Amino acid sequence: MYKERTAMKKHIILAAIVALLIPTLSFAAFYADTDGDGYTDQVYACGSPVQVCIYHPRTGVTTMYRNGAASSFSINSVVDTDGVAGAEVVVVWTSTYGNPKGIDVIRDRNRTTTTYDYTNNPSFSINSVVDTDGNVGGEIVVLWTYAGGPNHGLDVIHDAQRTKYTYDYSTASSFSINSVVDTDNTAGGEIIVIYTTTWGERGIHAIHDRTRTRNVYLYTYKGTFEIASVSDTDGIGGMEIIVKYPTGTYSTGATKGIDVIHDINRTTNIYDFTSQYFFSIQAIRNYDGISGNEICSYWERYPSYGYKLITDRTRSFQDRANCN
């Protein structure tokens, strides 16, 4: 009993010491090596006025960063953006004084901050921080609206070069990023965008930020459409974009089916379901053990119904009892 009490006291004392050593958090913390010394640092918001604090367990030192123009901010991520040892702290901030706002990238290893200004943008948000150009360091992908001129678009911040490249969507009535994923088997993910223009053109862009180009896939005349998935369907490097358009009919002249876009060579395999009253994608996974996923679909044409397996690698349909 005495040994148990002694052990319990030691545990309580140790817990108290740890609590004193670790700073009190006012917001959720991030953990990453921010100064390149090989130790995991703790990134959090603290103080009044609130600032970014980074606790370094190797030295016991806390570094603090505050943008004097900011009245509020949030830590978006802690990730390598410049390819140099040590993760950067990506911060979104706004101000009620004169309405400046922007994105700060804190480089804790040399105690500096790079600011990307979005004061003229009524709204902006970080979609992701991911490699889009194949060079070291992740890029910051930002969606924005603009007070004058082009009314919306997306930026790719190349923090390694301290530059920002804009993809204009001023002619779009709507657009959204579906995903950022490698579709061409070359270093750097492509930005997959669904868009509709003010004159009714609808389609998909695969933005190749590495070359500052966009591949365009039009869906203006295929009724409603959606990206069902981005998946490897042919076993060759680079993901395919799987598009479903379920509302076409013979009477309207619009087709109905599933497209598999091979952005690597800018081709599309079309699997037609126009003769069916209804169809849906039930599963996208590997069925045959050969590299590349198959697409299993359910179809109805009263009184008949069934399942078909699309093997895009061989451009073939196969009847199935189910999609299990």
Side-chain angles (χ1 to χ4, degrees), residues 34-186:
T34 61
D35 57 3
D37 65 358
Y39 289 79
T40 299
D41 305 305
Q42 187 182 53
V43 184
Y44 57 101
C46 69
S48 181
V50 179
Q51 55 197 323
V52 175
C53 293
I54 303 176
Y55 174 69
H56 302 271
R58 184 178 67 84
T59 61
V61 172
T62 298
T63 52
M64 293 172 284
Y65 302 88
R66 181 172 181 268
N67 185 326
S71 57
S72 65
F73 74 89
S74 62
I75 300 172
N76 174 271
S77 53
V78 182
V79 63
D80 176 29
T81 61
D82 62 5
V84 181
E88 282 64 57
V89 184
V90 181
V91 177
V92 177
W93 61 273
T94 59
S95 175
T96 55
Y97 310 104
N99 199 37
K101 48 184 172 286
I103 295 169
D104 283 354
V105 178
I106 297 170
R107 270 169 262 282
D108 188 52
R109 71 176 178 278
N110 58 16
R111 310 296 193 265
T112 61
T113 300
T114 303
T115 297
Y116 299 94
D117 183 57
Y118 281 88
T119 299
N120 292 323
N121 301 88
S123 67
F124 70 98
S125 62
I126 294 176
N127 173 269
S128 55
V129 182
V130 64
D131 177 23
T132 62
D133 63 2
N135 298 320
V136 292
E139 281 64 59
I140 305 169
V141 182
V142 183
L143 292 169
W144 51 264
T145 59
Y146 189 59
N151 56 5
H152 46 212
L154 68 88
D155 287 346
V156 179
I157 296 173
H158 298 262
D159 186 58
Q161 293 83 38
R162 314 296 192 268
T163 60
K164 181 169 63 175
Y165 191 85
T166 297
Y167 295 91
D168 178 31
Y169 277 88
S170 59
T171 61
S173 58
S174 66
F175 79 102
S176 62
I177 295 175
N178 173 270
S179 54
V180 183
V181 63
D182 177 27
T183 61
D184 64 358
N185 198 32
T186 305

Side-chain angles (χ1 to χ4, degrees), residues 63-315:
T63 52
M64 293 172 284
Y65 302 88
R66 181 172 181 268
N67 185 326
S71 57
S72 65
F73 74 89
S74 62
I75 300 172
N76 174 271
S77 53
V78 182
V79 63
D80 176 29
T81 61
D82 62 5
V84 181
E88 282 64 57
V89 184
V90 181
V91 177
V92 177
W93 61 273
T94 59
S95 175
T96 55
Y97 310 104
N99 199 37
K101 48 184 172 286
I103 295 169
D104 283 354
V105 178
I106 297 170
R107 270 169 262 282
D108 188 52
R109 71 176 178 278
N110 58 16
R111 310 296 193 265
T112 61
T113 300
T114 303
T115 297
Y116 299 94
D117 183 57
Y118 281 88
T119 299
N120 292 323
N121 301 88
S123 67
F124 70 98
S125 62
I126 294 176
N127 173 269
S128 55
V129 182
V130 64
D131 177 23
T132 62
D133 63 2
N135 298 320
V136 292
E139 281 64 59
I140 305 169
V141 182
V142 183
L143 292 169
W144 51 264
T145 59
Y146 189 59
N151 56 5
H152 46 212
L154 68 88
D155 287 346
V156 179
I157 296 173
H158 298 262
D159 186 58
Q161 293 83 38
R162 314 296 192 268
T163 60
K164 181 169 63 175
Y165 191 85
T166 297
Y167 295 91
D168 178 31
Y169 277 88
S170 59
T171 61
S173 58
S174 66
F175 79 102
S176 62
I177 295 175
N178 173 270
S179 54
V180 183
V181 63
D182 177 27
T183 61
D184 64 358
N185 198 32
T186 305
E190 281 62 59
I191 305 170
I192 310 304
V193 175
I194 297 176
Y195 73 93
T196 301
T197 66
T198 53
W199 60 86
E201 179 182 294
R202 296 179 299 120
I204 295 167
H205 283 161
I207 296 176
H208 294 252
D209 185 58
R210 183 184 63 261
T211 56
R212 309 291 194 269
T213 58
R214 291 182 247 201
N215 289 346
V216 182
Y217 303 96
L218 292 178
Y219 282 86
T220 304
Y221 302 107
K222 291 195 174 182
T224 61
F225 74 96
E226 64 183 75
I227 295 177
S229 180
V230 182
S231 177
D232 176 23
T233 63
D234 61 3
I236 300 172
M239 299 287 199
E240 281 67 57
I241 306 168
I242 301 170
V243 183
K244 180 178 74 170
Y245 41 102
T247 59
T249 63
Y250 279 128
S251 60
T252 62
T255 56
K256 181 187 298 182
I258 296 169
D259 284 358
V260 179
I261 297 172
H262 295 259
D263 188 56
I264 191 169
N265 55 19
R266 300 189 67 177
T267 61
T268 301
N269 293 336
I270 299 171
Y271 301 94
D272 185 63
F273 283 85
T274 307
S275 62
Q276 314 304 333
Y277 291 138
F278 170 83
F279 80 95
S280 64
I281 295 175
Q282 298 289 302
I284 301 172
R285 65 176 180 83
N286 186 262
Y287 281 86
D288 60 8
I290 301 173
S291 183
N293 291 328
E294 285 70 53
I295 305 166
C296 192
S297 61
Y298 170 78
W299 61 269
E300 290 181 4
R301 183 175 177 83
Y302 185 81
S304 301
Y305 65 92
Y307 297 86
K308 285 189 178 293
L309 190 71
I310 297 171
T311 304
D312 186 58
R313 184 185 65 259
T314 58
R315 317 294 192 264

